[in-house]
């Protein structure tokens, strides 16, 4: 969950004061920023990580920032556009191959997945069951259908499939039937209405997690095509990375992290052999893994509880053998 940007210059690998993006120091260390390199932040948010990268770039360096959210792009235009080293593109990182600025190659790419802190904190965006607002959930409110529109048309089978696939919600069918029955009386238009309807058939468990937590996550992922975009974005990032360039991805739940881990492993490690099958083509790795799963330390967790579920993975593109 991406934090707010801070102003001011800072030394390498030291985080700015105030509210921080998660794993700030670990991300900058993982990207290993070089002075005249070109770096892409595919999830600008409020620019916390991007600002850290920019602080380490010299006059010949370039920072490319992307985000689907118009509010994030407005912050980027206000705070970053005056710097001639910065270029800004509104869109999903899945579209990065379509941006001409990436064509010359990248020395580093960062994806900070999931919903950002500002998106969660603004009730009008409709992401949070804890703040009543319009039931939207779109990271780009100018495209696609809102959560309210989807819930108005989807049948109980489709709703249950989404809740199970993207939220791992064990009561997906029960919840889906309840939502379809409820909308026959009145359409869902507010987050509080949806949260209350879910809670009415899902009493709180011993873990005290709100009954709507997994369902809200699942609907948000579905509405924004987050996992499909992640798969396309990973392919695009590796294609644009220069040899020696690094890919850093922060995930916030197991579905995302599983995709990232399996993707990096597939390009870094030879698949297990099977003597019963014909000999396959020699495996040539594309990536080297830089460490394993990186998580927040106790100091960060004490100041930013939202970092609890964050996992950072870093990989480096291999030099081309020749």
């Amino acid at each position: 969950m991406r934090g707010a940007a801070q102003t001011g210059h800072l030394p390498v690998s030291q985080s700015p004061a105030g509210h921080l993006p998660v794993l700030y120091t670990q991300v900058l260390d993982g990207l290993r920023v070089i002075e005249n390199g070109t770096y892409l932040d595919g999830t600008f948010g409020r620019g916390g990580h991007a600002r850290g990268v920019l602080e380490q770039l010299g006059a010949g360096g370039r920072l490319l920032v992307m985000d689907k959210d118009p509010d994030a792009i407005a912050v980027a235009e206000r705070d970053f556009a005056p710097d001639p080293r910065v270029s800004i593109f509104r869109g999903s990182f899945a579209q990065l191959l379509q941006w001409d600025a990436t064509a010359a190659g990248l020395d580093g790419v960062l994806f900070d997945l999931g919903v950002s802190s500002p998106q969660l904190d603004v009730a009008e965006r409709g992401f949070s069951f804890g703040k009543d607002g319009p039931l939207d959930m779109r990271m780009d409110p100018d495209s696609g259908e809102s959560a309210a529109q989807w819930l108005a048309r989807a049948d109980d089978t489709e709703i249950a499939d989404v809740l199970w696939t993207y939220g791992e919600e064990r009561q997906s069918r029960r919840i889906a039937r309840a939502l379809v029955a409820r909308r026959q009386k009145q359409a869902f238009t507010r987050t509080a209405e949806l949260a209350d309807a879910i809670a009415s058939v899902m009493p709180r468990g011993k873990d005290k997690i709100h009954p709507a937590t997994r369902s809200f996550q699942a609907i948000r992922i579905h509405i924004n095509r987050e996992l499909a975009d992640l798969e396309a974005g990973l392919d695009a990032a590796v294609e644009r990375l220069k040899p020696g360039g690094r890919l850093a991805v922060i995930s916030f739940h197991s579905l995302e992290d599983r995709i990232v881990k399996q993707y990096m492993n597939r390009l870094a490690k030879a698949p297990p052999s099977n003597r019963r099958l014909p000999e396959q083509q020699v495996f040539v790795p594309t990536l080297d893994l830089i460490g394993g799963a990186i998580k927040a330390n106790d100091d960060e967790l004490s100041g930013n509880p939202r970092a609890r579920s964050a996992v950072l993975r870093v990989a480096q593109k291999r030099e081309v053998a020749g």
Side-chain angles (χ1 to χ4, degrees), residues 143-298:
S143 67
E145 62 181 350
S146 68
Q149 291 169 328
W150 177 70
L151 285 170
R153 68 160 183 81
D155 61 25
D156 60 347
T157 300
E158 182 179 352
I159 294 172
D161 285 347
V162 166
L163 300 188
W164 170 251
T165 302
Y166 300 134
E168 299 177 312
E169 174 53 72
R170 295 180 180 178
Q171 300 297 322
S172 58
R173 291 190 179 90
R174 182 181 182 187
I175 294 171
R177 288 194 296 267
L179 297 185
V180 170
R182 160 71 168 71
R183 80 181 184 199
Q184 292 175 350
K185 301 176 182 178
Q186 183 178 357
F188 290 102
T189 61
R190 309 284 298 181
T191 55
E193 295 168 352
L194 177 59
D196 290 345
I198 295 170
S200 70
V201 295
M202 279 283 293
R204 288 181 184 268
K206 296 179 181 180
D207 55 11
K208 297 183 180 180
I209 295 176
H210 192 285
T213 300
R214 288 183 289 272
S215 295
F216 265 65
Q217 170 190 293
I219 294 170
R220 188 205 81 221
I221 290 172
H222 173 71
I223 291 297
N224 293 287
R225 292 177 43 85
E226 292 178 39
L227 300 189
D229 275 10
L230 174 57
E231 291 172 347
L234 290 170
D235 278 337
V238 171
E239 182 173 335
R240 282 290 190 255
L241 277 177
K242 300 175 184 177
R246 291 195 169 184
L247 171 63
V249 185
I250 304 173
S251 306
F252 286 89
H253 60 76
S254 59
L255 294 175
E256 295 171 336
D257 184 53
R258 189 179 307 133
I259 290 173
V260 175
K261 179 181 179 180
Q262 291 177 350
Y263 181 86
M264 290 183 173
N265 283 342
R266 189 166 68 249
L267 296 187
K269 300 177 180 179
S273 59
N274 188 333
R275 289 179 296 177
R276 297 180 180 180
L277 296 177
E279 186 175 346
Q280 298 180 343
Q281 188 175 1
V282 175
F283 175 76
V284 179
T286 305
L287 298 177
D288 288 319
L289 304 180
I290 307 299
I294 301 168
K295 299 185 179 182
N297 58 30
D298 290 340

Side-chain angles (χ1 to χ4, degrees), residues 124-141:
E124 288 72 25
R125 299 303 301 273
F127 288 103
S128 175
F129 51 78
K131 298 180 174 66
D132 185 34
L135 186 57
D136 196 309
M137 294 195 193
R138 288 175 294 177
M139 294 178 181
D140 180 356

Side-chain angles (χ1 to χ4, degrees), residues 50-62:
R51 193 179 302 277
V53 172
L54 193 59
E55 294 285 353
Q56 297 184 24
L57 291 178
R62 292 195 70 197

